[in-house]
Amino acid sequence: MNFWFILFQDKRTEHKNYQTPTKISVNKSLNFYQQSNISNLISQIYNTIFAKNYTINIMPDISKLNDVVSQVRRDIVRMVHANSSGHPGGSLGCTEFLTALYFEVMNHNTKFSMDAKGEDVFFLSNGHISPVFYSVLARAGYFDVAELSTFRKLNSRLQGHPTTHEGLEGVRMASGSLGQGLSNAIGAALTKKLNKDDSMVYTLHGDGELQEGQCWEAFMYAAGKKVDNLIATIDYNQKQIDGSLDEVLPMGNLTAKLEAFDWIVLEEFQGNNIEAVINTLGRAKELAGNGKPVAIIMHTEMGNGVDYMMGTHKWHGSAPNDEQLADALAQNPETLGDY
Amino acid sequence: MEKKDTRSGFGAGLTVLGRTNPNVVALCADLTGSLKMNEFQNENPERFFQIGIAEANMMGIAAGMTIGGKIPFTGTFANFSTSRVYDQIRQSIAYSGKNVKICASHAGVTLGEDGATHQVLEDIGMMKMLPHMVVINPCDYNQTKAATIAIANHEGSVYLRFGRPAVPNFTPADQNFIIGKALHLQEGTDVTIFATGHLVWESLEAAKTLAEAGISAEVINIHTIKPLDSKAILSAVSKTKCVVTAEEHMLNGGLGDSIAQLLSRENPTPIEMVGVNDTFGESGTPMQLLEKYGLDAKAIVAAAIKAVARK
């Protein structure tokens, strides 16, 4: 078994041309694999290696994806600036993640169907980072990018926080009042199982959001009831409105907590490196379907890509002025055309 | 008169749905026996979801399950179906426009001995304030069963409220339940009693006493508080010219409140309301509590006499 595990590790590092940013608790992995019977184990590891090689053969065009990232960052700061309201910090911190999901990882159809049969689905639980969600949905083709200019304005489908109420393509659940998205995702994942639909359900949560008790009801349920078609990512920027996590309410060791809740936990230390994010999501997908839900603790930098917004919680919910906007745009080239 | 609990009507309706509608799924927060969901669970184990004591999670899961075409029915006590999870219902179900049926047992003081922590009297008000939420409070076993079956065919969020005690089962077993359609149970010319839930039977009893006193009372069952059958209400009032409302709920936010709003806008009419007036319940037997809180036939008779005198 050690041999197979080493092979699995070797293959991973061999094909990575950047610093390996992720780790999986080895003990946990072994426990996980020990629980499987030997033929399953071999098949899992074979599939893992095969899937890796397959991924390598059709490596994503990172430079094109980074062009999307640059444009999405421009959209975010322009949308927030135009209203003098919105949440740029967390949006910028999750730009690579959402771009990776919608442009590389998920199997999804931009011809929107609420029921999402045969498609992967995504729930944004921390709805306040709506600017990045709207921009990525529009850039992916769900609706016209010109509509981004209506963000937070009267009669817009792009409400301050995402909603299904105005019929915006790509949104399947309202979010904003925190802590509800994981429960919603579990529901969608259970329906996929009933429908014999082997697609995945992805979520994103703020780290501060996990202070809401409902999240832990959902963590408990998903593991206890083996909802294993579910990958939940925690945006671990360690900041919230009133300050750092430690200042507001220390969260302790999130990895240990989620492992204690019987989730498979991956830790992604480079949440603003899109290639790293794609690889980690790929590994999460490989680990899914084995009786346990998968969580990714994704270390990100709030405000990433705009230097003066980084390293502080001050841009969680503040908008840049004209001069600051120009500064932010100068740091992020227009690649796909501004809306 | 045969007596049966309305929650068993819910259980029987859910069993029918389990056999006839493959999209119906049921979720329960550790009160399967109390909600009478066992038969559905036994017959459809793959479509029954035991959530544990986590009502917020249950509402969120139910909302998510609609994505892909399922019709979730959640089951727990009325208090835990509403006040405990109001924000989850508001955002994930009502605002998100999800096809979830929130089925709530043990509503009102007739929950009895468990006392005020469990006796929700504010649920109709909370739920009717949510945009587009349908609010139904059936009066007996047969009507609860029929309502349970009917709401599966209504696309949208529904709150279905029923109770614990065995009460007379007096509506026909083969009734066709139409959401939002008031039922004339007894014709009368002097006063109209609009009643919902357990107080419909009490209103029929009150009408007998009133008849002996020479007052002809019309009894109309408003099983759907929202959408309200305004046409039926205005038509009745134009004839009798005074009104009594009767419900096992707080006066603020209940059926009487909805009817008073309608009448004050369309046809100002003397109205007396039977309900709980700004107080919590307490432990006791259901019948003791109905009497103590003025929710019985006697209270309805007194209200009707007062309403007639105000004409």
Side-chain angles (χ1 to χ4, degrees):
Chain A
M1 186 149 71
N2 283 342
F3 167 75
W4 282 107
F5 189 70
I6 288 160
L7 181 60
F8 165 67
Q9 294 280 47
D10 281 350
K11 281 286 179 187
R12 275 198 301 132
T13 41
E14 184 183 314
H15 292 289
K16 277 185 181 164
N17 56 1
Y18 56 88
Q19 260 195 319
T20 180
T22 58
K23 77 170 175 90
I24 180 168
S25 156
V26 171
N27 285 339
K28 198 69 195 173
S29 308
L30 290 177
N31 286 339
F32 170 63
Y33 288 118
Q34 277 161 358
Q35 284 162 12
S36 312
N37 64 40
I38 195 72
S39 64
N40 275 350
L41 172 69
I42 292 167
S43 118
Q44 274 170 21
I45 292 175
Y46 177 82
N47 287 339
T48 303
I49 295 164
F50 179 78
K52 267 300 159 202
N53 286 335
Y54 183 71
T55 305
I56 299 302
N57 290 341
I58 50 154
M59 276 298 284
D61 187 334
I62 299 299
S63 124
K64 277 193 178 165
L65 290 172
N66 278 326
D67 283 349
V68 177
V69 167
S70 184
Q71 189 64 50
V72 169
R73 286 187 193 140
R74 290 177 70 87
D75 291 346
I76 292 167
V77 289
R78 291 181 70 231
M79 289 160 75
V80 173
H81 167 266
N83 289 285
S84 298
S85 80
H87 296 76
S91 291
L92 289 164
C94 292
T95 299
E96 289 83 359
F97 174 77
L98 274 158
T99 303
L101 267 188
Y102 277 89
F103 285 81
E104 185 63 30
V105 175
M106 286 205 306
N107 168 36
H108 64 107
N109 189 347
T110 55
K111 192 170 186 302
F112 181 67
S113 133
M114 178 58 81
D115 279 339
K117 289 184 177 166
E119 283 183 67
D120 295 337
V121 296
F122 169 71
F123 292 95
L124 180 70
S125 190
N126 47 337
H128 56 275
I129 67 164
S130 55
V132 65
F133 190 30
Y134 293 148
S135 169
V136 167
L137 286 176
R139 296 288 170 187
Y142 279 89
F143 55 88
D144 193 329
V145 292
E147 201 169 344
L148 295 175
S149 67
T150 69
F151 174 61
R152 284 188 172 235
K153 296 193 188 306
L154 193 63
N155 300 320
S156 173
R157 300 197 298 169
L158 280 61
Q159 292 289 297
H161 293 79
T163 173
T164 59
H165 198 255
E166 321 299 333
L168 186 68
E169 296 85 358
V171 182
R172 292 193 170 85
M173 189 70 68
S175 59
S177 176
L178 293 171
Q180 302 188 31
L182 190 57
S183 304
N184 301 150
I186 289 169
L190 292 173
T191 287
K192 285 205 176 292
K193 283 177 180 278
L194 285 172
N195 289 344
K196 313 264 185 264
D197 175 348
D198 61 2
S199 312
M200 294 297 300
V201 178
Y202 295 89
T203 62
L204 181 63
H205 310 266
D207 46 9
E209 181 183 9
L210 302 191
Q211 291 159 2
E212 292 281 4
Q214 187 183 345
C215 298
W216 299 92
E217 292 182 2
F219 283 133
M220 197 176 348
Y221 184 92
K225 302 282 184 165
K226 302 186 181 354
V227 185
D228 59 2
N229 50 345
L230 175 63
I231 297 173
T233 298
I234 317 301
D235 175 20
Y236 194 58
N237 59 28
Q238 301 180 62
K239 294 180 183 65
Q240 54 190 116
I241 297 181
D242 276 356
S244 70
L245 286 188
D246 283 346
E247 285 165 344
V248 177
L249 176 61
M251 303 287 290
N253 184 338
L254 271 183
T255 302
K257 283 181 177 172
L258 292 179
E259 284 180 348
F261 271 65
D262 218 14
W263 281 58
I264 296 171
V265 185
L266 303 177
E267 197 159 359
E268 168 55 71
F269 289 99
Q270 291 190 23
N272 295 118
N273 174 331
I274 196 162
E275 194 174 357
V277 171
I278 289 168
N279 272 279
T280 300
L281 283 165
R283 285 186 51 219
K285 207 169 168 180
E286 290 157 14
L287 291 164
N290 287 299
K292 291 187 183 195
V294 181
I296 300 171
I297 309 283
M298 185 177 71
H299 293 245
T300 67
E301 178 67 49
M302 191 183 267
N304 185 63
V306 177
D307 55 9
Y308 62 87
M309 291 190 183
M310 296 163 71
T312 170
H313 67 273
K314 288 180 187 160
W315 294 93
H316 173 97
S318 308
N321 62 26
D322 293 349
E323 194 181 326
Q324 289 162 333
L325 173 68
D327 188 358
L329 293 178
Q331 297 173 44
N332 292 285
E334 184 178 351
T335 50
L336 306 177
D338 286 339
Y339 63 81
Chain B
M1 176 67 63
E2 175 202 31
K3 285 191 174 184
K4 279 176 130 175
D5 49 352
T6 53
R7 57 182 166 148
S8 287
F10 164 69
L14 194 62
T15 298
V16 171
L17 288 172
R19 292 170 187 166
T20 56
N21 190 335
N23 284 325
V24 168
V25 296
L27 298 82
C28 188
D30 197 30
L31 285 170
T32 312
S34 297
L35 269 286
K36 307 293 181 189
M37 297 167 89
N38 308 74
E39 200 167 15
F40 180 96
Q41 179 184 17
N42 293 336
E43 291 185 7
N44 314 277
E46 76 293 347
R47 286 194 276 146
F48 179 81
F49 297 85
Q50 172 59 267
I51 305 295
I53 310 167
E55 295 83 6
N57 192 36
M58 177 166 75
M59 293 303 167
I61 290 176
M65 289 192 84
T66 63
I67 297 169
K70 298 303 169 206
I71 307 171
F73 281 61
T74 66
T76 183
F77 287 175
N79 188 36
F80 313 140
S81 294
T82 57
S83 56
R84 187 175 180 93
V85 289
Y86 197 58
D87 185 49
Q88 284 77 16
I89 293 173
R90 182 176 180 274
Q91 175 170 288
S92 290
I93 297 176
Y95 187 43
S96 291
K98 297 306 184 197
N99 192 21
V100 175
K101 317 305 170 188
I102 301 161
C103 302
S105 185
H106 293 55
V109 292
T110 53
L111 169 141
E113 294 81 352
D114 278 347
T117 52
H118 288 50
Q119 293 164 342
V120 73
L121 291 162
E122 309 86 26
D123 54 326
I124 290 174
M126 282 186 280
M127 300 308 278
K128 82 177 188 185
M129 280 197 293
L130 292 171
H132 314 304
M133 179 69 70
V134 169
V135 179
I136 299 172
N137 186 22
C139 62
D140 68 356
Y141 172 96
N142 284 339
Q143 193 174 76
T144 309
K145 181 180 174 185
T148 303
I149 295 166
I151 61 176
N153 292 323
H154 170 85
E155 176 74 33
S157 317
V158 175
Y159 178 61
L160 181 68
R161 175 200 216 237
F162 42 91
R164 172 180 176 242
V167 293
N169 184 25
F170 57 95
T171 64
D174 61 350
Q175 65 190 290
N176 182 23
F177 187 92
I178 302 169
I179 294 170
K181 181 83 179 150
L183 281 182
H184 276 76
L185 296 179
Q186 181 168 313
E187 294 300 329
T189 52
D190 296 329
V191 58
T192 305
I193 303 170
F194 295 110
T196 196
H198 289 145
L199 265 59
V200 176
W201 175 255
E202 297 294 325
S203 298
L204 290 169
E205 292 292 287
K208 284 185 202 161
T209 308
L210 288 166
E212 288 164 11
I215 295 174
S216 165
E218 178 182 40
V219 179
I220 296 181
N221 171 205
I222 308 288
H223 52 64
T224 307
I225 290 133
K226 187 183 166 192
L228 194 63
D229 191 346
S230 305
K231 202 174 154 192
I233 293 166
L234 291 171
S235 160
V237 168
S238 69
K239 185 181 62 186
T240 59
K241 306 207 184 310
C242 74
V243 168
V244 170
T245 63
E247 61 195 309
E248 189 185 348
H249 188 270
M250 209 63 81
L251 293 178
N252 274 333
L255 169 67
D257 167 298
S258 288
I259 291 178
Q261 282 189 44
L262 172 71
L263 295 180
S264 60
R265 280 197 310 269
E266 301 289 339
N267 185 6
T269 307
I271 179 168
E272 292 294 325
M273 298 184 192
V274 171
V276 177
N277 189 13
D278 204 29
T279 183
F280 290 103
E282 65 184 83
S283 293
T285 68
M287 293 319 288
Q288 286 172 335
L289 290 163
L290 286 177
E291 186 186 0
K292 174 164 180 178
Y293 288 86
L295 302 171
D296 57 3
K298 197 173 131 196
I300 296 166
V301 167
I305 291 169
K306 205 169 162 189
V308 170
R310 287 175 58 198
K311 275 209 266 191

